[in-house]
Amino acid sequence: MSRFAAGSMTGDELIEEFGIQTGSDVGEGFNAAAGATDGNKTKENSSLGGGYLTNETYEKLKSDSKIKEAYASINGQEAADKKFKDGYISINTMDALFDDLTKAPEKNDEVTPKVELPVVLSDRAAKAVAGTKAYENVMLPRQGFPLNDDTSVISDFDNQYKLELGKAKSPQPQEPAELQNAQADADQNKVMNYANNYKKAVADTLVPDNSWQMYS
């Protein structure tokens, strides 16, 4: 089994194994004389930088058996035989090979602390929360009493609703969207249920009491 594999070598290992060098600011056209055809005609490597492969080093390595072994290990023996049909490979192919061999830079696993910024509820969620709070603070204490006897219930509810709506629209501690939406749905359902029950209660108070007819 070959000792070469894709992404298996650090920059230092490439230098030690193949005699290439650490790159430097060599500018454009550094490898033009060796036949480089990429944009700036200067070979670069993610670990070694630009200018890591001198023309002299390329000439020394272009027919080297280790280069062919590495190429065959990554691309297959048949592909290697075709690439080396003239006994050597181009500087473009060699550069691509070194890129394939190069181990990807290690990722920094350090987790950046997440800043928990306050969020503002949507209008729908704010109204649902305000309606629920107003119901709990105004209507629940009145349970058991006829609603049509309390003329202040509407104004009290409206005032409490406005107060709670202002609170609900102010910045809130951050909460996952799923939980926020679920709470809004629950609050909305609670308000709707109350509204329906309220309508039924009012309607019941308007139905004439005909029980006296049973005894007439």
Side-chain angles (χ1 to χ4, degrees):
M1 182 177 179
S2 174
R3 54 204 171 96
F4 300 113
S8 63
M9 304 183 74
T10 64
D12 289 340
E13 289 171 336
L14 289 170
I15 291 172
E16 182 178 354
E17 185 70 42
F18 299 105
I20 53 182
Q21 64 185 29
T22 301
S24 58
D25 187 13
V26 296
E28 296 186 3
F30 183 68
N31 298 119
T37 58
D38 40 341
N40 62 5
K41 296 181 173 56
T42 295
K43 297 304 178 183
E44 298 180 2
N45 180 271
S46 59
S47 290
L48 299 174
Y52 79 97
L53 181 59
T54 67
N55 295 341
E56 291 76 19
T57 302
Y58 161 67
E59 291 294 335
K60 182 177 67 174
L61 293 175
K62 66 181 183 180
S63 58
D64 191 273
S65 60
K66 290 188 296 185
I67 293 292
K68 185 173 184 178
E69 178 189 349
Y71 191 92
S73 177
I74 294 175
N75 300 285
Q77 189 60 53
E78 183 178 354
D81 291 340
K82 289 181 179 179
K83 279 292 182 182
F84 283 83
K85 62 181 174 48
D86 295 326
Y88 63 91
I89 57 174
S90 69
I91 191 171
N92 301 313
T93 300
M94 185 179 295
D95 175 56
L97 173 62
F98 286 138
D99 286 343
D100 289 339
L101 290 169
T102 302
K103 181 181 294 185
E106 294 185 3
K107 295 181 179 179
N108 185 0
D109 293 331
E110 183 178 349
V111 178
T112 303
K114 183 180 180 181
V115 179
E116 297 290 344
L117 298 176
V119 296
V120 177
L121 297 179
S122 66
D123 285 344
R124 174 174 175 268
K127 289 177 180 178
V129 170
T132 300
K133 294 293 185 183
Y135 163 72
E136 292 174 347
N137 292 329
V138 176
M139 297 304 188
L140 285 183
R142 287 177 164 86
Q143 282 190 343
F145 297 94
L147 294 177
N148 59 338
D149 290 342
D150 190 349
T151 58
S152 65
V153 64
I154 295 178
S155 61
D156 288 350
F157 183 88
D158 286 344
N159 291 336
Q160 189 68 33
Y161 175 80
K162 292 175 183 177
L163 176 64
E164 297 297 343
L165 185 60
K167 293 179 182 178
K169 286 188 174 182
S170 63
Q172 306 289 321
Q174 194 172 85
E175 185 178 58
E178 293 82 359
L179 294 180
Q180 179 179 318
N181 292 336
Q183 183 62 45
D185 289 340
D187 290 342
Q188 184 70 24
N189 289 337
K190 188 184 294 185
V191 172
M192 293 302 296
N193 288 336
Y194 166 75
N196 291 333
N197 292 334
Y198 177 77
K199 291 177 183 177
K200 292 177 181 178
V202 172
D204 289 342
T205 64
L206 299 177
V207 176
D209 184 1
N210 297 323
S211 59
W212 60 272
Q213 295 179 356
M214 296 175 59
Y215 304 99
S216 60

